[in-house]
Amino acid sequence: TVNPVAATREQDTDIDTVELSLIHIMLEYPYKISEIVQKNIFDCFMSANLKSLSERLRDSFEKDGVEGFDASLFIQTIENEALRQKLLKKMINENPYDEGIVERIIADTLKQIKRKWYKEKRRMLTTEIKRADESGNHELSNRLLVEKERLLREEKALQ
């Protein structure tokens, strides 16, 4: 038998708090969704659950528009119980994002997500470079080093 508490905890590990915050902002301020979507940030999501959810949110918003979009109804369609509960709790609590500074909060959140993505990509490339070096594949190692340098330049451009 599967321990339901352990299963919930396992699902919980794939919930990045920064990515969840961005989804929460999108639910609180649906008119910001298209602006966020244009940034292609979902490609940088590390959490598969949240990436899938954000894409569903985008699709739902594009189908219903600003006027027809209902955050509460959207949350009810979330199958992942832990995720649905976290978002419901966030929506029930007082909105922590003041309308006057929501632009800055979105920009900071996007930067955090991208930084995390770049860090993970660098880590993965470093591992691949070590493997290529150990196996004597210098051509692959050099290509990966070039890729890592390109990523570093892109990341520096963010700051």
Side-chain angles (χ1 to χ4, degrees):
T1 61
V2 174
N3 179 343
V5 174
T8 301
R9 246 187 255 120
E10 191 175 299
Q11 287 179 330
D12 237 12
T13 59
D14 190 33
I15 299 177
D16 180 277
T17 55
V18 178
E19 293 171 8
L20 186 67
S21 294
L22 184 62
I23 291 172
H24 179 217
I25 291 168
M26 291 165 57
L27 292 168
E28 290 283 358
Y29 299 100
Y31 64 92
K32 294 286 184 190
I33 293 175
S34 57
E35 177 185 321
I36 292 169
V37 166
Q38 289 175 352
K39 305 281 186 195
N40 294 322
I41 193 66
F42 305 148
D43 294 338
C44 297
F45 274 34
M46 303 302 285
S47 164
N49 281 331
L50 294 176
K51 180 177 183 172
S52 172
L53 180 64
S54 63
E55 289 168 346
R56 279 190 43 237
L57 176 57
R58 173 200 62 209
D59 296 346
S60 177
F61 178 78
E62 286 174 355
K63 185 178 93 152
D64 299 334
V66 158
E67 303 303 319
F69 180 77
D70 185 328
S72 300
L73 287 176
F74 178 80
I75 291 173
Q76 296 307 320
T77 68
I78 299 172
E79 292 177 15
N80 180 318
E81 182 65 27
L83 195 49
R84 184 172 60 245
Q85 291 304 319
K86 283 182 184 282
L87 281 170
L88 275 172
K89 186 176 180 183
K90 284 181 173 292
M91 294 298 286
I92 289 170
N93 292 336
E94 189 174 330
N95 181 357
Y97 311 111
D98 178 63
E99 183 124 27
I101 60 168
V102 76
E103 286 293 327
R104 195 170 76 226
I105 293 170
I106 290 171
D108 289 346
T109 305
L110 294 175
K111 268 188 185 171
Q112 286 180 46
I113 291 169
K114 285 181 180 179
R115 277 193 199 118
K116 208 178 266 192
W117 182 85
Y118 278 111
K119 183 178 179 181
E120 178 61 16
K121 285 294 177 193
R122 278 195 324 272
R123 186 193 66 73
M124 289 169 49
L125 278 170
T126 301
T127 303
E128 287 182 51
I129 290 167
K130 284 179 186 172
R131 261 193 237 126
D133 284 343
E134 289 167 0
S135 69
N137 191 341
H138 300 296
E139 183 184 329
L140 176 60
S141 179
N142 287 337
R143 275 198 322 243
L144 293 171
L145 277 169
V146 169
E147 175 66 14
K148 188 174 179 180
E149 288 171 10
R150 185 188 62 76
L151 276 176
L152 284 168
R153 282 193 303 276
E154 282 180 19
E155 186 178 10
K156 282 188 179 171
L158 277 178
Q159 300 169 6

